[in-house]
Amino acid sequence: MPVVDVHTHVYPPAYTALLRSRTTVPYMRSFPDAPSAGERLVILPAEDTESTSRGRPIGPEYYDISQKLAFMDAHGIDVSVISLANPWLDWLPAGEAAETARVINDDVERMCAEHQGRLYAFGTLPLSAPAHEVVAEIKRLSGMKHMRGVIMGTSGLGSGLDDPALNPIWAAIEESKQLIFLHPHYGLPGDVYGPRANDYGHVLPLAMGFPLETTIAVTRMLLSGVWDRFQNLEVLLAHSGGTLPFLAGRIESCIAHDAHLKHEGKLEKRRDLWDILKKNIYLDAVVYADPGLKAAIEASGADRLLFGTDHPFFPPLDEGETEWLSVKSNSNAVKSVFQGDQKTADAIMGGNAVRILRLDD
């Protein structure tokens, strides 16, 4: 059974060139006053400070596909389903978004074709464009050989995933039977972390902000009836669904006890979160430890979990270190939880992805 990485990012040449041409967020560049800092990626307004440590350091592993393949070989990964990393194309002016999406998606498709059998991809949508242009790109992606779905952030068209304006886009994705890879980007407002948050690097926004962003976004989809209207819409949630597996029971209890929802008639004939977790939601296994993985299994089932690495983020910090702790933690959690059940472990490490994403077509 092949090992398949479904959560692995790349900034393809067309996208890298776009970011390097910019001077406002998002952008990619080196700073003359800090040449030793190397090239930096700045994707959030909060990162765009005058500090020489603005953004995050990046190297060729972010955009050179040969580096991706070398990483795969070093860690025993047979197939990667690559996707553009945040901030995707949500920030583009409406008139530029559709053409830019076509160029970038064609670039990614070319990369996959050049490494046949090793790379597949989630396409990127021009979500700042008019809805009919987004739908047109969804239909185009469904006819591309290596595309297996689309990646989206939690802001949707800018107003969240409970926005009714997304209905034609949900419908097009459902009709084309593509999977949505839902990934956080903005986290939570910085002030929730307290006045000393900057003392702790990126730990609080990454460890807390990203998972809670995902949980809130999916709960808004649930409350607005997205899965009642589009009962076959399938979503792969990054980072094992954030805190959703742990909080699903509390979310359902709060819904069941909400007088406003009862008065509005929204408690009648609705699908509950547990049903959606078992039928519409898949979770990646990017959770790094046994307890989180067990919660994901309890929530959605082992047949709906897919291995991932989040490469090229979370690289080793020590010079000369070649094994990525992030990869080791995720794979060891699968081995530990399914000790003695090699069949299920193999399914999570690759078999589920082959089935769900039709990688053997």
Side-chain angles (χ1 to χ4, degrees):
M1 186 65 67
V3 173
V4 181
D5 182 357
V6 302
H7 187 156
T8 179
H9 301 296
V10 67
Y11 291 81
Y15 191 65
T16 302
L18 177 61
L19 292 180
R20 284 176 174 157
S21 72
R22 295 174 50 78
T23 56
T24 57
V25 177
Y27 64 87
M28 213 185 260
R29 74 179 218 243
S30 300
F31 298 95
D33 57 340
S36 62
E39 191 171 33
R40 315 289 295 193
L41 171 66
V42 183
I43 59 176
L44 292 173
E47 297 175 330
D48 192 26
T49 68
E50 291 305 313
S51 167
T52 55
S53 63
R54 72 178 74 179
R56 66 192 74 197
I58 61 169
E61 67 275 8
Y62 279 74
Y63 47 79
D64 184 346
I65 202 64
S66 68
Q67 294 279 324
K68 177 76 69 183
L69 293 164
F71 166 83
M72 292 165 62
D73 291 340
H75 292 83
I77 296 167
D78 300 293
V79 180
S80 285
V81 186
I82 58 176
S83 53
L84 195 67
N86 45 326
W88 308 290
L89 300 176
D90 303 6
W91 47 275
L92 280 172
E96 300 176 18
E99 176 59 23
T100 304
R102 286 191 289 269
V103 170
I104 289 171
N105 286 326
D106 286 347
D107 206 10
V108 172
E109 174 68 16
R110 173 192 57 78
M111 294 163 69
C112 293
E114 289 175 353
H115 303 282
Q116 185 66 36
R118 299 215 69 187
L119 300 177
Y120 294 86
F122 294 117
T124 306
L125 298 180
L127 291 177
S128 61
H132 72 275
E133 293 187 340
V134 182
V135 169
E137 187 62 9
I138 291 168
K139 292 179 178 178
R140 194 178 79 94
L141 286 167
S142 68
M144 298 173 75
K145 181 177 180 180
H146 297 91
M147 294 294 174
R148 290 299 184 268
V150 298
I151 187 167
M152 288 180 63
T154 62
S155 62
L157 301 175
S159 299
L161 300 183
D162 53 355
D163 183 358
L166 278 164
N167 283 342
I169 294 164
W170 299 140
I173 294 172
E174 182 184 51
E175 182 181 0
S176 63
K177 298 181 180 179
Q178 296 193 68
L179 182 70
I180 301 166
F181 180 27
L182 185 64
H183 194 291
H185 172 53
Y186 295 100
L188 299 178
D191 57 3
V192 306
Y193 303 117
R196 296 182 58 193
N198 289 337
D199 294 350
Y200 313 122
H202 288 98
V203 172
L204 292 172
L206 289 180
M208 308 295 172
F210 269 23
L212 288 170
E213 177 187 339
T214 300
T215 304
I216 293 166
V218 174
T219 304
R220 287 171 62 179
M221 290 178 73
L222 171 76
L223 291 169
S224 65
V226 168
W227 281 289
D228 296 320
R229 298 190 299 278
F230 306 100
Q231 298 204 7
N232 295 313
L233 189 68
E234 295 189 320
V235 181
L236 168 64
L237 300 181
H239 315 123
S240 290
T243 61
L244 199 65
F246 181 78
L247 292 179
R250 181 174 179 84
I251 292 167
E252 276 299 317
S253 178
C254 289
I255 292 173
H257 290 91
D258 194 280
H260 170 73
L261 294 179
K262 183 175 178 62
H263 177 74
E264 294 289 314
K266 294 182 178 179
L267 300 185
E268 304 290 332
K269 297 180 181 179
R270 73 171 188 90
R271 296 180 63 194
D272 66 36
L273 182 53
W274 295 113
D275 182 53
I276 292 163
L277 280 165
K278 299 290 187 184
K279 296 178 181 177
N280 298 85
I281 285 176
Y282 300 96
L283 304 175
D284 72 20
V286 181
V287 71
Y288 307 108
D290 297 20
L293 186 62
K294 290 176 180 177
I297 293 163
E298 287 293 321
S300 289
D303 62 330
R304 304 182 75 81
L305 261 65
L306 300 88
F307 175 71
T309 67
D310 215 347
H311 181 265
F313 299 97
F314 303 103
L317 296 179
D318 294 331
E319 188 175 350
E321 188 177 1
T322 58
E323 184 177 32
W324 290 48
L325 176 62
S326 53
V327 181
K328 182 178 179 180
S329 299
N330 287 327
S331 58
N332 280 353
V334 175
K335 293 174 186 176
S336 175
V337 170
F338 292 101
Q339 193 170 19
D341 184 359
Q342 192 62 43
K343 182 178 179 181
T344 303
D346 288 346
I348 292 173
M349 294 299 294
N352 290 343
V354 170
R355 184 190 80 249
I356 295 163
L357 299 175
R358 311 177 314 281
L359 302 185
D360 54 357
D361 280 1

